[in-house]
Amino acid sequence: MTIGVICGYILFKMSAPNIDTIVSLAKRRGFVFPSSEIYGGLGSAWDYGPLGVELSNNIKQSWWRWLVYDRDDIEGIDSSIILNRLVWKYSGHEATFHDPLVDCRECKFRMRADKIEGKCTNCGSTNLTEPRFFNMMFRTTIGAAAEEDDPAALAYLRPETAQGIFINFLNVQTTMRRKLPFGIAQFGKSFRNEITPGNFILRTREFEQMEMEYFVKPDADHSRLVDEWVDSYVEWFKALGVKGENLKLHEVPRGELAHYSKRTVDIMYRYFPERPDEERQWEELMGIAYRTDFDLRSHSSKATDSELQRVNVDSTQDLSYFDEATKERFYPHVIEPAAGVNRTLLAVLMDAYSEKTNDKGETRVILKLSPQLAPIKAAILPLAKNKPEIVGMAKAIKRSLQPVLRAVYDDTGGIGKLYARQDEIGTPMCVTVDHQSLEDEAVTVRDRDTWEQERVKVAELAEYLQRRLKAAAPVQPVAGSSTLEI
Ligand code: GAP
């Protein structure tokens, strides 16, 4: 698809054609490296490099600002990764957080029974073992003297950040004097012993989540609230640069709902545009679930089941809420938008990716990251690195910008190469210091997307760059403004 012509280059490819293109760019330019590579790697584990960690932090900061700062009804927390084992007993994860596993008797390949159609995905054989359940929580033992199989020392790495929020519900509600409805947000690492991890950072055993539990009254319109949060997140993803045409909604069928959910809508992203079968192009980016009062009841000391038996004999607290207005006590219900940092990062990279090719067949990669997410906001480049005055002025400009925005200095190539490198990692603006700068105290600012150049006084540079970055950042979304249909 031809989009336009800039400086002899024809813009023709928008969005990455497949995940492999991003794997190669990510490794080449320091976003993501295969983990433990010097020892042959560790299946599906990835390390975030200097640019990847910035991009990931910017995504989490954008999310935090959007929910915790811009709204008035959400608090943030950061709970432990290793929690009391009883949390996972009463959350239902010990009993139900498992996947059906089968082995191929021909090639010994192991896979999830619910993701295949009766055939080995490696060799096509139908000679498979009977499915057996496998709990996906990573186990560990607590204490220096603990024996490997000592049940008293058994603990798990959390498979979702959500439970750390539920067990702190009362702490947050009372210390922050919150009334319903309000939410608690948390991001951090989660761990799942996935049977078939893969597709780069899409499915890994260690990953990061951004979860928010929104507590509401039992008689709230839960289905409408799910729809509203779906709409808000679609708009948030678009504000990050994810394209609307690469997002779609999926109403999870009743039989496939998680044990705690009464309704879940997944926001899907087109991670596999190269697949001819349209249905197979999509994978879950995040889910929005109506978790009812399942979790708060399960962790509460006074909650009872239909036979009036206590559902939890170990909890020392009752996580119920007293409504001053109606003088009623009840367990709040929960709407949960649960997103993956890594999957968001991959979607952002795929849609930011574009290529330009000139008539000599030379291709340039331009990463059109939203300025709020770009790892580096401005690169300061000296036109001549053998001129100490120019180098000194460029370094001084870099230092002066650093307190207000992330800037880097680079003199490791000719100016054309330096521009190309910054385009490839998504730096919105390059600032060039040349011979004339020494005379007129001005620099050239080059735009990543249009390649247009403007002369700006050094004294006005910080304000100019900040204004440009702000103008390019989309407004944060409000609820109920999406146009996607389920
Ligand atoms: N608390 C609800 C919950 O954890 P989930 O759908 O299992 O729901 C939420 O996970 C999000 O976490 C997913 O939509 C996905 O973005 C991310 N996620 C889950 N498992 C993952 C994995 N193995 N690798 C990378 N991201 C994962």
Side-chain angles (χ1 to χ4, degrees):
M1 180 174 45
T2 303
I3 307 292
V5 181
I6 307 178
C7 302
Y9 277 86
I10 299 171
L11 195 65
F12 81 103
K13 208 176 266 167
M14 303 291 281
S15 294
N18 48 44
I19 291 180
D20 287 347
T21 311
I22 300 299
V23 178
S24 149
L25 171 75
K27 186 170 180 197
R28 190 170 72 246
R29 298 311 320 273
F31 282 92
V32 184
F33 307 121
S35 185
S36 317
E37 210 177 6
I38 63 166
Y39 291 109
L42 170 71
S44 295
W46 300 88
D47 295 339
Y48 288 74
L51 301 182
V53 67
E54 296 289 346
L55 179 54
S56 162
N57 285 344
N58 290 345
I59 289 171
K60 287 177 280 189
Q61 270 170 26
S62 161
W63 180 80
W64 195 259
R65 262 199 320 272
W66 173 50
L67 291 186
V68 182
Y69 296 173
D70 292 354
R71 295 179 63 113
D72 297 321
D73 57 353
I74 297 179
E75 303 284 354
I77 63 161
D78 182 16
S79 70
S80 298
I81 285 175
I82 298 176
L83 302 172
N84 189 313
R85 183 184 162 190
L86 290 169
V87 171
W88 306 110
K89 174 179 170 185
Y90 287 104
S91 70
H93 284 79
E94 268 195 340
T96 61
F97 196 62
H98 41 222
D99 275 345
L101 174 154
V102 289
D103 288 310
C104 172
R105 290 200 179 93
E106 303 296 332
C107 71
K108 311 294 174 218
F109 194 68
R110 178 161 286 179
M111 62 228 113
R112 266 175 70 172
D114 58 334
K115 293 278 175 191
I116 56 171
E117 278 150 18
K119 261 197 226 159
C120 172
T121 47
N122 190 41
C123 72
S125 165
T126 51
N127 189 7
L128 307 175
T129 60
E130 283 302 308
R132 57 194 187 283
F133 281 102
F134 163 80
N135 194 295
M136 291 204 295
M137 284 194 290
F138 271 102
R139 296 153 73 99
T140 186
T141 45
I142 292 180
E147 296 292 327
E148 273 289 297
D149 52 359
D150 177 359
L154 175 62
Y156 302 104
L157 305 189
R158 67 181 177 199
E160 62 170 9
T161 60
Q163 293 304 323
I165 296 179
F166 292 125
I167 59 172
N168 278 293
F169 168 74
L170 265 195
N171 289 335
V172 176
Q173 192 253 317
T174 52
T175 53
M176 308 313 283
R177 299 184 307 282
R178 281 290 181 180
K179 287 195 167 48
L180 297 182
F182 74 94
I184 305 177
Q186 151 157 261
F187 63 79
K189 293 249 173 158
S190 289
F191 303 82
R192 296 181 189 176
N193 207 351
E194 299 276 1
I195 298 168
T196 44
N199 291 313
F200 189 38
I201 53 175
L202 191 67
R203 178 163 285 107
T204 49
R205 296 192 172 103
E206 174 179 343
F207 55 97
E208 254 188 306
Q209 292 185 306
M210 300 175 277
E211 297 200 289
M212 198 273 288
E213 309 302 321
Y214 197 68
F215 299 96
V216 298
K217 290 186 179 174
D219 61 356
D221 188 346
H222 306 112
S223 210
R224 185 181 57 81
L225 284 166
V226 167
D227 291 337
E228 278 185 15
W229 279 109
V230 168
D231 288 346
S232 297
Y233 268 81
V234 166
E235 293 308 309
W236 181 67
F237 285 122
K238 286 191 200 164
L240 296 188
V242 179
K243 293 177 183 157
E245 76 246 30
N246 289 333
L247 292 172
K248 80 170 185 183
L249 306 182
H250 170 65
E251 181 87 46
V252 177
R254 257 174 201 284
E256 291 172 24
L257 290 171
H259 63 276
Y260 50 72
S261 172
K262 217 165 180 181
R263 182 187 176 206
T264 298
V265 176
D266 286 341
I267 301 180
M268 315 286 283
Y269 176 77
R270 199 193 302 269
Y271 288 104
F272 305 99
E274 76 282 10
R275 291 183 178 166
D277 178 1
E278 217 268 344
E279 275 302 299
R280 294 186 57 247
Q281 294 180 352
W282 305 86
E283 181 58 74
E284 176 187 329
L285 169 58
M286 72 169 296
I288 293 100
Y290 168 38
R291 282 182 90 127
T292 69
D293 57 357
F294 175 85
D295 301 271
L296 289 185
R297 282 179 62 81
S298 304
H299 290 304
S300 282
S301 56
K302 292 188 184 160
T304 51
D305 60 19
S306 55
E307 280 148 27
L308 300 181
Q309 298 295 310
R310 280 174 67 192
V311 296
N312 189 323
V313 292
D314 295 301
S315 171
T316 59
Q317 273 189 17
D318 194 61
L319 306 179
S320 59
Y321 172 88
F322 183 71
D323 190 339
E324 291 289 348
T326 61
K327 307 289 180 218
E328 281 174 332
R329 183 169 282 285
F330 52 80
Y331 296 102
H333 284 226
V334 172
I335 313 296
E336 176 198 66
V341 175
N342 318 79
R343 289 189 189 183
T344 302
L345 187 140
L346 181 56
V348 160
L349 281 177
M350 287 186 78
D351 275 351
Y353 185 92
S354 71
E355 284 179 4
K356 286 177 188 168
T357 301
N358 66 10
D359 47 15
K360 293 186 207 126
E362 294 160 344
T363 297
R364 293 270 295 264
V365 173
I366 324 273
L367 205 55
K368 298 195 166 200
L369 287 173
S370 148
Q372 60 163 328
L373 297 187
I376 295 162
K377 311 298 181 201
I380 320 303
L381 315 171
L383 198 64
K385 71 171 179 182
N386 53 1
K387 267 258 175 202
E389 299 92 326
I390 291 181
V391 167
M393 186 173 177
K395 286 186 174 169
I397 290 174
K398 189 262 167 198
R399 275 195 303 276
S400 73
L401 288 175
Q402 199 52 65
V404 284
L405 51 87
R406 170 93 163 105
V408 295
Y409 167 87
D410 190 5
D411 66 7
T412 57
I415 194 69
K417 200 167 235 166
L418 295 180
Y419 281 154
R421 272 193 213 149
Q422 295 300 329
D423 286 347
E424 205 180 12
I425 61 170
T427 306
M429 277 170 290
C430 286
V431 174
T432 309
V433 181
D434 53 27
H435 295 88
Q436 209 192 323
S437 305
L438 303 172
E439 310 289 319
D440 64 2
E441 283 286 311
V443 287
T444 302
V445 179
R446 170 195 178 269
D447 183 279
R448 175 196 68 200
D449 299 338
T450 62
W451 292 2
E452 277 167 12
Q453 305 196 353
E454 205 173 324
R455 202 77 184 159
V456 179
K457 286 279 176 205
V458 174
E460 294 157 15
L461 185 62
E463 204 201 314
Y464 171 89
L465 293 176
Q466 280 178 295
R467 199 173 57 241
R468 288 275 305 271
L469 289 169
K470 209 169 164 198
V475 181
Q476 292 285 26
V478 289
S481 49
S482 158
T483 49
L484 284 191
E485 280 176 16
I486 296 176

